[in-house]
Amino acid sequence: MHSHLNDMANHKSALKRIRQNEVRKVRNRYYHKTARTALKVLRNEENKAAATEQLPKVIALLDKLAKRNIIHKNKAANLKSKLTKHVNKLA
């Protein structure tokens, strides 16, 4: 994982920056993937009560991703809108 440290930077601050970027990349990828899975689960949900209960949690996830700039805020807004419509359409 850290093999790329040797052949790049010579400055202490740059090395630290590389380490931080690596950690953040992994963390952001995890958050993004978790959110995508949550979206999929909610989209496939047939039960209105269960979907209604899941919706606020998924919206909170999307808001966090948008706040951290992992996804664009407009994309988060579009997804929230679509999901809300989907949940309201369920019988």
Side-chain angles (χ1 to χ4, degrees), residues 74-88:
N74 293 357
K75 181 182 173 76
N78 287 337
L79 285 170
K80 292 191 301 193
S81 159
K82 278 191 173 143
L83 287 170
T84 309
K85 277 182 175 170
H86 168 70
V87 169
N88 289 338

Side-chain angles (χ1 to χ4, degrees), residues 1 8 14 18 32 37-38 40 55 74-75:
M1 185 169 116
M8 281 181 65
I18 292 168
H32 199 175
T37 309
K40 197 185 290 180
L55 187 63
N74 293 357
K75 181 182 173 76

Side-chain angles (χ1 to χ4, degrees), residues 52-78:
T52 310
E53 192 208 331
Q54 283 172 8
L55 187 63
K57 293 175 187 157
V58 174
I59 286 178
L61 263 176
L62 289 171
D63 284 336
K64 275 182 198 146
L65 289 185
K67 190 177 81 179
R68 295 194 186 109
N69 264 327
I70 298 170
I71 60 174
H72 195 274
K73 65 181 178 47
N74 293 357
K75 181 182 173 76
N78 287 337

Side-chain angles (χ1 to χ4, degrees), residues 21-62:
N21 288 340
E22 183 66 30
V23 167
R24 290 193 181 128
K25 185 174 87 177
V26 171
R27 190 182 296 143
N28 287 343
R29 196 189 292 149
Y30 167 76
Y31 288 142
H32 199 175
K33 185 64 183 157
T34 308
R36 285 203 298 260
T37 309
L39 287 171
K40 197 185 290 180
V41 168
L42 183 53
R43 280 196 191 109
N44 295 332
E45 185 60 65
E46 301 293 325
N47 181 352
K48 173 112 180 181
T52 310
E53 192 208 331
Q54 283 172 8
L55 187 63
K57 293 175 187 157
V58 174
I59 286 178
L61 263 176
L62 289 171

